[in-house]
């Protein structure tokens, strides 16, 4: 039935996906196996998104489906058998900017791909990023910004991390008016165009040969 | 009094468009500040018209610079002036035109901050109130219409907007939830909104009228507290509103804000035009029906998932909105009034939906709106925010020389190839380059645009986004270089 669930999710059959998940629980399927199937479905969707075969609506709908299934499944997860997290990331939209929709999608895709994400929300001043990194021990920070007013706050956040002695933390930036100009200007380590770019970057940084 | 030809209703759409353009280029009725300003106006308007119509090559590539907060920042002012000190913002905008000399007037983005405060307006956050003074206002998208409210919205749009939408976007309008439904046969009391006595904006520009209104409104707000209940009920009945003291006070405070705001709003366009800058984009325009649903009612998450969960509702609601989106833009122009209708496009960008979804949900009703405007002789000026690389072939299915497409992140070479024979294109110097690049960067990019897109005419130099942060020297470079290099001889 796992394959049926994967198909339902990747084909955006929302009601069916939830039904199948519930049926699997009734059949005493291990809760983790159900969540694994969800993860596989997201892999398929993520790859399609990268290739331009599916788009934001599909990511959003998939997010909703996963949320609904997780709600039903989580009470059945045995303690301590949660999926191993790849690493910690602190994420937020920088100071002065309240845009959140795309940030939420990136956070969701990172989470689904195995990262433990602390989402600081919107209009986040540099000091709060620093505080969150210190608190969580995250080695990656993601900054989103959708207006040109965010260039200076991004620069300030990168500087604040360095000033706090957090030199080994890597910073990625993204958003509507973000490009290589802005990456250079802000001192960030990389910039990405979308959620899948963020996932690739995070995996490279944490798992690649030069992994942290 | 309309400035359009007397036999308007007998004219064909082509004749109407020609008449509107003739009127616009002539500057009839505009009180130009000098003969030079009038000559420059006509030269600029002719340039823009020739570029748009695709009938001949213009004298040179025109430049329309879309400044948003730049003129305010350039004048050393905080962003909050656009919300609260409208005269200062208006001055800054006028001075920007006089200093940088673009080929078209830029619309002044001002909003009535005091009115928004009185209404407890939730749709925006803005500088000087709930955002820092230096930053641009931002839209707070949300599901102001719930997923199951499509039938209600379509069956009784006015009722939905008054009883549900307004209270959701404006906290102080909560009492409207109790607004009684109209009784059949009861005539709506006209509160003078279609007054034949003239333009309310003009009236409010008069210092005498404004002074009087301010006094009355200050007194009125206090006086509402003193009104005995029976009088309040009487007023409420006469104007068909709930007899709510707080609501009346809110209304008065909101109007008070408008008294300061309206003159700047209506006056600045006239002042910039009089200084010799033709108006292309006015502050009112139109929208894709899908965006009306997505921007203001369902929010992004709502509308994009609605395509899966209730596709028939989306299509039906879009269809229902078509006549309104045409009507909103059709009216007789005032002196220097633009024949172009600005239509910013949001939710149909490349990443936001597939081609199939665009063709099913987004394009049909947008195209109907565009055609409806063209019927009236108006020129849709579409601004495709984000990228439209996957949309070019679809949008090329339109009558030649009847609209303008402004692009943001779309590949301009591709746009010229696919769309160049159908529509005038505009764009796309990036906000990031203008904010943190150099004049040489800007010139190099403009050169490439002119070489590729300017070929044969039909190209207006422009920006990919509305410009807030921008270095003055970059903007100067963009405008001056286009004028130097963009000649067609």
């Amino acid at each position: 039935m796992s394959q049926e669930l994967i198909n339902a999710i990747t084909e955006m059959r929302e009601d069916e996906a939830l039904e199948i998940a519930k049926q699997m629980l009734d059949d005493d399927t291990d809760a983790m196996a159900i969540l694994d199937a969800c993860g596989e479905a997201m892999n398929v969707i993520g790859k399609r998104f990268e290739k331009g075969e599916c788009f934001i609506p599909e990511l959003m709908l998939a997010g909703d489906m996963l949320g609904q299934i997780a709600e039903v499944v989580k009470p059945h997860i045995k303690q301590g058998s949660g999926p191993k997290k790849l690493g910690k990331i602190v994420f937020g939209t920088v100071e002065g900017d309240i845009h959140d929709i795309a940030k939420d999608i990136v956070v969701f895709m990172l989470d689904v791909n195995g990262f433990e994400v602390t989402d600081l929300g919107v209009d986040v001043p540099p000091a709060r990023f620093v505080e969150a990194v210190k608190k969580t021990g995250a080695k990656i920070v993601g900054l989103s910004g959708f207006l040109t007013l965010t260039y200076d706050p991004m620069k300030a956040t990168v500087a604040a991390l360095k000033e706090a002695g957090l030199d080994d933390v890597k910073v990625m930036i993204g958003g509507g008016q973000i490009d290589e100009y802005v990456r250079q200007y802000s001192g960030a380590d990389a910039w990405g165009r979308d959620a899948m770019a963020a996932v690739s970057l995070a995996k490279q940084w944490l798992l690649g040969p030069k992994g942290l | 009094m309309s400035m359009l030809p007397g036999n308007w209703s007998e004219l064909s759409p082509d004749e109407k468009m020609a008449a509107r353009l003739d009127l616009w280029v002539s500057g009839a009725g505009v009180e130009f500040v000098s003969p030079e300003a009038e000559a420059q106006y006509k030269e600029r308007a002719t340039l823009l018209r020739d570029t748009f119509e695709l009938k001949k090559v213009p004298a040179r590539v025109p430049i329309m610079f879309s400044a948003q907060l730049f003129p305010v920042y350039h004048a050393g002012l905080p962003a909050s002036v656009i919300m609260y000190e409208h005269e200062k913002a208006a001055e800054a905008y006028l001075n920007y035109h006089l200093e940088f000399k673009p080929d078209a007037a830029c619309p002044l983005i001002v909003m009535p901050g005091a009115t928004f405060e009185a209404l407890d307006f939730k749709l925006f956050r803005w500088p000087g109130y709930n955002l820092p003074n230096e930053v641009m206002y931002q839209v707070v998208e949300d599901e102001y219409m719930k997923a199951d409210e499509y039938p209600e919205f379509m069956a009784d749009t006015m009722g939905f907007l008054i009883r549900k939408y307004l209270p959701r976007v404006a906290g102080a309008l909560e009492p409207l939830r109790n607004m009684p439904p109209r009784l059949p046969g009861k005539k709506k009391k006209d509160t003078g909104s279609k007054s034949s006595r003239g333009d309310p904006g003009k009236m409010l520009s008069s210092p005498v009228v404004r002074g009087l209104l301010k006094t009355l409104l200050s007194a009125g707000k206090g006086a509402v507290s003193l009104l005995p209940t029976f009088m309040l009920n009487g007023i409420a009945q006469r104007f068909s509103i709930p007899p709510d003291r707080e609501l009346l006070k809110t209304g008065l405070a909101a109007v008070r804000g408008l008294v300061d705001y309206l003159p700047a709003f209506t006056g600045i366009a006239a002042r910039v035009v009089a200084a010799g800058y033709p108006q292309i984009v006015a502050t009112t325009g139109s929208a894709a029906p899908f965006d009306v649903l997505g921007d203001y009612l369902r929010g992004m998450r709502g509308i994009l998932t609605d395509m899966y969960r209730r596709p028939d509702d989306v299509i039906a609601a879009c269809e229902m909105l078509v006549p309104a989106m045409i009507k909103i833009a059709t009216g007789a122009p005032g002196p220097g009034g633009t024949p172009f209708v600005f239509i910013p496009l949001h939710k149909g960008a490349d990443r936001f939906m597939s081609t199939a979804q665009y063709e099913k949900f987004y394009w049909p009703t947008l195209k109907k709106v565009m055609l409806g405007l063209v019927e009236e002789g108006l020129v849709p000026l579409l601004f495709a925010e984000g990228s439209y690389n996957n949309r070019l072939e679809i949008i090329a299915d339109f009558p030649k020389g009847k609209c303008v497409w402004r692009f943001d992140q779309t590949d301009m070479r591709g746009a010229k190839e696919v769309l160049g024979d159908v529509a005038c294109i505009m764009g796309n110097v990036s906000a990031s380059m203008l904010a943190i690049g150099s004049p040489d960067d800007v010139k190099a990019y403009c050169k490439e645009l002119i070489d590729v897109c300017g070929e044969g005419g039909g190209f207006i130099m422009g920006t990919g986004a509305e410009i807030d942060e921008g270095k003055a020297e970059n903007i100067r470079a963009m405008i001056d270089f286009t004028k130097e290099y963009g000649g067609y001889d």
Side-chain angles (χ1 to χ4, degrees), chain B residues 428-462:
Chain B
N428 77 334
V429 180
S430 73
S432 62
M433 187 185 284
L434 291 169
I436 54 186
S438 70
D440 283 344
D441 293 332
V442 172
K443 288 181 198 174
Y445 192 73
C446 287
K447 180 176 187 299
E448 201 185 324
L449 280 175
I450 291 170
D451 288 343
V452 173
C453 299
E455 185 65 46
F459 170 64
I460 301 174
M461 180 67 70

Side-chain angles (χ1 to χ4, degrees), chain A residues 148, chain B residues 62-72 93 96-97 100 102-109 136 280-282 342 344 381-383 385 404 406-408 426-431 434 460-470 475 478-479:
Chain A
T148 50
Chain B
I63 158 128
M64 184 179 113
F65 186 82
S66 301
Q68 189 168 250
L69 277 182
F70 172 70
V72 164
Y93 262 78
Y96 146 79
H97 287 90
F100 290 86
D103 291 324
C106 203
L108 170 63
I109 316 259
M136 188 56 187
I280 290 198
V281 174
F342 186 57
L381 196 173
L382 304 119
F383 176 26
E385 300 185 33
V404 179
R406 177 180 165 205
F407 292 112
D408 172 12
M426 189 192 307
N428 77 334
V429 180
S430 73
L434 291 169
I460 301 174
M461 180 67 70
T463 59
E466 314 304 90
I467 306 303
D468 295 333
E469 280 74 12
I475 290 152
M478 182 180 169
I479 294 173

Side-chain angles (χ1 to χ4, degrees), chain A residues 5-13 17 37-66 105 108-109 112-113 194-196 199, chain B residues 308 351:
Chain A
L5 178 58
I6 293 171
N7 292 346
I9 295 174
T10 57
E11 287 161 26
M12 302 292 136
R13 288 182 275 120
C38 289
E40 273 204 54
M42 284 316 302
N43 272 343
V44 172
I45 292 172
K47 286 202 172 65
R48 285 185 187 163
F49 182 80
E50 267 176 328
K51 286 195 262 174
E53 290 166 12
C54 79
F55 303 84
I56 297 292
E58 289 74 37
L59 292 190
M60 286 178 165
L61 211 66
D64 282 355
M65 283 189 270
L66 255 62
I105 294 175
F108 163 67
M109 291 307 280
V112 146
N113 275 275
D194 57 38
M196 289 314 293
V199 170
Chain B
Y308 278 97
R351 298 309 205 96

Side-chain angles (χ1 to χ4, degrees), chain A residues 136-151:
Chain A
T136 60
K139 295 298 179 199
I140 298 179
V141 169
L143 306 178
S144 74
F146 300 90
L147 303 174
T148 50
L149 63 84
T150 58
Y151 299 165

Side-chain angles (χ1 to χ4, degrees), chain B residues 40-312:
Chain B
Q40 282 166 359
Y41 173 95
K42 288 177 176 165
E43 194 187 317
R44 290 171 178 138
T46 302
L47 203 53
L48 290 159
R49 178 185 190 161
D50 288 346
T51 308
F52 145 69
E53 280 185 317
L54 302 185
K55 289 179 186 161
K56 63 181 197 183
V57 174
R60 63 163 171 82
V61 173
I63 158 128
M64 184 179 113
F65 186 82
S66 301
Q68 189 168 250
L69 277 182
F70 172 70
V72 164
Y73 288 151
H74 186 61
L77 297 168
S80 49
V81 298
I82 67 168
M83 308 299 299
Y84 293 103
E85 294 176 274
H86 308 111
E87 273 305 315
K88 276 190 186 166
E91 274 301 310
Y93 262 78
L94 179 62
N95 290 337
Y96 146 79
H97 287 90
L98 300 177
E99 182 182 342
F100 290 86
K101 303 184 176 41
D103 291 324
C106 203
L108 170 63
I109 316 259
V110 282
M111 300 218 179
T115 299
F116 286 0
E117 279 187 49
L119 293 172
D120 185 21
F121 199 41
K122 298 180 203 279
L123 193 56
F124 294 149
R125 281 174 61 174
W126 62 91
Y129 186 62
N130 48 14
L131 275 182
N133 278 4
E134 311 79 49
V135 313
M136 188 56 187
Y137 77 85
Q138 292 167 55
V139 178
V140 181
E141 250 195 24
D142 203 344
E143 287 189 27
Y144 297 113
M145 176 170 109
K146 303 300 172 198
D148 58 3
E149 286 174 339
Y150 274 94
E152 192 183 332
F153 173 69
M154 288 191 279
D156 177 19
T157 310
M158 234 17 220
F160 172 81
L161 290 177
I162 292 172
R163 276 192 293 279
K164 289 201 172 167
Y165 185 73
L166 284 179
R168 285 173 186 164
V169 300
L173 294 180
E174 270 297 315
L176 286 179
R177 286 188 199 275
N178 304 320
M179 181 80 155
R182 295 225 174 285
L183 297 169
K186 184 175 180 193
K187 257 193 90 177
K188 182 184 170 184
K189 181 78 194 163
D190 194 294
T191 48
S193 55
K194 289 199 275 281
S195 170
S196 58
R197 269 174 258 131
D199 189 340
K202 273 216 180 104
M203 275 170 59
L204 282 173
S205 298
S206 151
V208 172
V209 173
R210 280 167 68 193
L212 197 58
L213 265 175
K214 275 187 189 176
T215 308
L216 282 173
L217 288 169
S218 312
K221 206 174 145 192
V224 170
S225 323
L226 300 173
L227 282 175
T229 310
F230 74 86
M231 281 186 72
L232 202 56
N233 286 341
I235 295 171
Q237 264 180 27
R238 188 155 205 280
F239 293 101
S240 306
I241 50 176
D244 188 298
R245 205 171 291 274
E246 286 311 308
L247 187 63
L248 267 180
K249 279 192 201 168
T250 296
L252 287 170
V255 173
R256 174 80 171 75
L258 290 177
V259 167
D260 292 321
Y261 161 76
L262 274 174
F265 179 71
T266 56
I268 184 57
R271 283 158 75 188
V272 172
V273 170
Y277 297 88
Q279 185 188 57
I280 290 198
V281 174
T283 38
T284 52
S286 187
F290 191 94
D291 283 339
V292 174
L293 291 177
D295 291 350
Y296 300 111
L297 291 159
R298 294 289 296 131
M300 182 147 191
R301 198 168 256 285
I303 197 64
L304 294 185
T305 52
D306 282 350
M307 289 194 296
Y308 278 97
R309 292 170 176 157
R310 44 198 69 81
D312 295 337

Side-chain angles (χ1 to χ4, degrees), chain A residues 90 120 125-137 161 164 166:
Chain A
V90 167
L120 298 176
R128 272 186 62 208
F129 280 105
V130 172
E131 191 192 314
V133 167
K134 284 184 178 167
K135 196 164 162 202
T136 60
L161 287 165
L166 300 163

